[in-house]
Amino acid sequence: MTVLSNRAKSLKPSPTLAINAKAKSMQAQGIHVISFGAGEPDFDTPQNIKQAAKKALDEGFTKYTPVGGIDELKDAIIKKFQRDSGLSYKRSEIIVSCGGKHSFYNLAQAIFDQEDEVIIPAPYWVSYPPMVALAGASPIIVETKEGDDFKITQESLKRAITSKTKALVINSPSNPTGSAYTKKELEKIAEMAILNNFFIISDEIYEKIVYDGFKFISIASLNEEMKKRTIIVHGVAKTYAMTGWRIGYTAGSEEIISAMNNIQSQSTSNPTSISQKASVEALIGPQDEVGKMVSAFLDRRNYIVNRLNKMEGVSCFKPIGAFYVFPNFSYYYGKSYQGKKIANSTNLADFFLDVARVAVVPGVEFGADPFERLSYATSMEDIQEGLDRIEESLKKLV
Ligand code: PLP
């Protein structure tokens, strides 16, 4: 008898969480590591949101809630979609889960079967392929190019579509590249979805973190037909610095949402009651803090992109959104440090950690080995120091 299921054996832990753990353990040993690893804002959750949580606690709002979230939060989500994307949903078309990751997981469990293929453009968020695979379906990875701003083209999408294609995952703005689709580009993708009859899973978790006046568009908002075939996965973690509160939500057809509700009712039950109350305040309370955080991210983005592009052999796409850069370091592959060869993004990330004391996440984890991911959701001082260290360490590679 083997102890573990094949499912468990095929899984490895989320690499981003693993890098953070390694950096933290070095820090605990007194080593000053600068971490570009974290996928979370370094800001505190805004006061008004915390107050709403405290009020919920004081009022004894600490019991089970309906599995898919309280009506008050569903109504706030409905308002948010109407306000930001002009989309109208009913309560029965919304479900609240324990984070955006959980939303995607439950969705995958609800709509994918063994024979289904799910197209995932690379570079992708690390958790999409495993979650699709855990649902028994096949992730079909389609590479995008740095020269195409990491966006999927109609030609490459066409090549990936088969009669088994059930869905395409779009993450705009993207983790890890910060690329984002314009309305025109989304219209082309929508055309393909309608023509070939597949769903779009639109992960909009970085919707509010955009720069240079970019206008975020949800593919669901293009027309009624696209609304029907799009399932939006969203959450409060990134916009409101609420990563620990664990609230994500999904908007889609009543049929899909109801199936997700059944899955959730037999697994986690409701998301935390107090976090739900806080999320109501986050979504429909004052939004000023979001603007302040985005403006700080913008300064950091400008600095980090500029510095990286000045480093010998490094090229870095200028992100339109989210809080990551995804520079190409492949110029250094094949070079060595003290006789040890750097062959790929994992070797280089190890080198940065060991020699520069800087934590980054290897691009291979996002399906793109020439790159490393750096999160700039960290202080400007750390960014400056971290980049100095990276630049110095690169000079040691021969
Ligand atoms: N989607 C993307 C693209 C992400 O980067 C993340 C977090 O890293 C999530 C979803 C899930 O976030 P959470 O589960 O914290 O709400």
Side-chain angles (χ1 to χ4, degrees):
M1 187 187 75
T2 56
V3 175
L4 297 179
S5 66
N6 289 329
R7 205 169 43 250
K9 279 192 276 193
S10 71
L11 268 186
K12 53 178 197 160
S14 161
T16 41
L17 300 182
I19 295 272
N20 286 335
K22 191 170 170 189
K24 278 198 177 127
S25 110
M26 285 171 75
Q27 266 151 355
Q29 294 164 41
I31 302 167
H32 179 215
V33 176
I34 293 193
S35 182
F36 290 114
E40 61 180 348
D42 51 322
F43 304 106
D44 195 8
T45 305
Q47 272 309 323
N48 61 316
I49 298 173
K50 288 203 217 172
Q51 281 306 332
K54 284 182 188 161
K55 183 163 176 277
L57 205 51
D58 289 343
E59 288 173 357
F61 194 72
T62 54
K63 302 284 166 46
Y64 290 135
T65 75
V67 168
I70 53 175
D71 282 347
E72 194 187 349
L73 179 52
K74 286 190 182 178
D75 290 346
I77 293 166
I78 289 167
K79 258 192 202 154
K80 179 247 162 302
F81 279 123
Q82 189 72 57
R83 175 190 72 202
D84 298 341
S85 297
L87 284 163
S88 302
Y89 289 105
K90 296 184 282 202
R91 282 182 188 163
S92 55
E93 294 170 320
I94 303 286
I95 180 170
V96 185
S97 304
C98 312
K101 191 181 272 185
H102 188 225
S103 301
F104 189 101
Y105 182 86
N106 281 354
L107 173 62
Q109 293 292 324
I111 67 171
F112 298 142
D113 266 324
Q114 206 84 43
E115 65 275 14
D116 294 332
E117 293 180 351
V118 182
I119 299 175
I120 303 174
Y124 45 72
W125 177 42
V126 292
S127 292
Y128 296 139
M131 289 197 281
V132 166
L134 277 173
S138 304
I140 305 296
I141 308 301
V142 176
E143 267 184 48
T144 64
K145 296 198 187 92
E146 200 178 356
D148 292 331
D149 294 355
F150 298 108
K151 291 183 211 178
I152 196 164
T153 60
Q154 247 184 336
E155 296 69 45
S156 58
L157 183 54
K158 229 181 245 173
R159 279 196 295 274
I161 295 168
T162 72
S163 57
K164 294 178 181 171
T165 304
K166 179 90 182 247
L168 162 70
V169 179
I170 293 182
N171 175 213
S172 173
S174 145
N175 173 7
T177 66
S179 184
Y181 288 93
T182 62
K183 187 169 183 208
K184 255 206 182 112
E185 290 160 345
L186 291 173
E187 279 167 351
K188 285 194 183 146
I189 294 172
E191 223 174 83
M192 303 285 283
I194 293 169
L195 191 68
N196 297 282
N197 193 26
F198 57 77
F199 287 106
I200 301 284
I201 300 178
S202 181
D203 181 343
E204 304 183 354
I205 202 153
Y206 296 102
E207 166 186 0
K208 293 288 172 199
I209 306 171
V210 289
Y211 313 115
D212 307 329
F214 179 82
K215 173 129 182 55
F216 167 85
I217 301 282
S218 171
I219 194 165
S221 71
L222 291 181
N223 52 53
E224 248 332 281
E225 173 59 32
M226 281 318 292
K227 182 171 173 242
K228 277 191 213 142
R229 55 175 72 246
T230 301
I231 307 108
I232 299 178
V233 174
H234 217 311
V236 296
K238 315 288 179 177
T239 312
Y240 303 101
M242 290 177 74
T243 45
W245 298 72
R246 310 311 303 135
I247 296 289
Y249 52 92
T250 312
S253 73
E254 211 168 284
E255 187 182 7
I256 293 174
I257 297 300
S258 154
M260 287 175 69
N261 205 79
N262 290 346
I263 290 163
Q264 197 157 301
S265 78
Q266 300 292 11
S267 49
T268 56
S269 295
N270 65 273
T272 308
S273 57
I274 304 155
S275 295
Q276 289 190 60
K277 285 282 192 181
S279 298
V280 171
E281 176 65 18
L283 290 170
I284 57 172
Q287 301 291 304
D288 331 348
E289 291 301 315
V290 179
K292 285 185 206 158
M293 291 191 263
V294 173
S295 139
F297 285 143
L298 173 67
D299 288 344
R300 299 170 188 181
R301 179 208 64 167
N302 290 344
Y303 177 80
I304 200 167
V305 170
N306 201 19
R307 283 273 323 256
L308 283 164
N309 275 317
K310 279 189 186 146
M311 290 184 198
E312 191 189 342
V314 180
S315 66
C316 182
F317 167 75
K318 191 175 190 183
I320 289 158
F323 40 67
Y324 311 100
V325 277
F326 204 56
N328 187 331
F329 281 103
S330 58
Y331 169 82
Y332 291 94
Y333 300 175
K335 295 187 188 286
S336 301
Y337 175 67
Q338 293 182 341
K340 222 170 136 192
K341 196 164 164 182
I342 306 290
N344 51 40
S345 59
T346 311
N347 293 163
L348 188 65
D350 284 342
F351 166 80
F352 284 148
L353 195 53
D354 294 338
V355 176
R357 311 290 198 216
V358 170
V360 303
V361 187
V364 68
E365 307 291 357
F366 306 88
D369 198 42
F371 306 88
E372 304 285 344
R373 191 195 76 173
L374 281 71
S375 158
Y376 49 89
T378 187
S379 72
M380 197 59 141
E381 295 73 52
D382 272 6
I383 292 172
Q384 286 168 353
E385 167 83 23
L387 291 177
D388 287 347
R389 292 185 187 189
I390 285 179
E391 196 164 19
E392 276 312 300
S393 71
L394 287 173
K395 290 181 187 152
K396 296 180 180 160
L397 292 174
V398 286

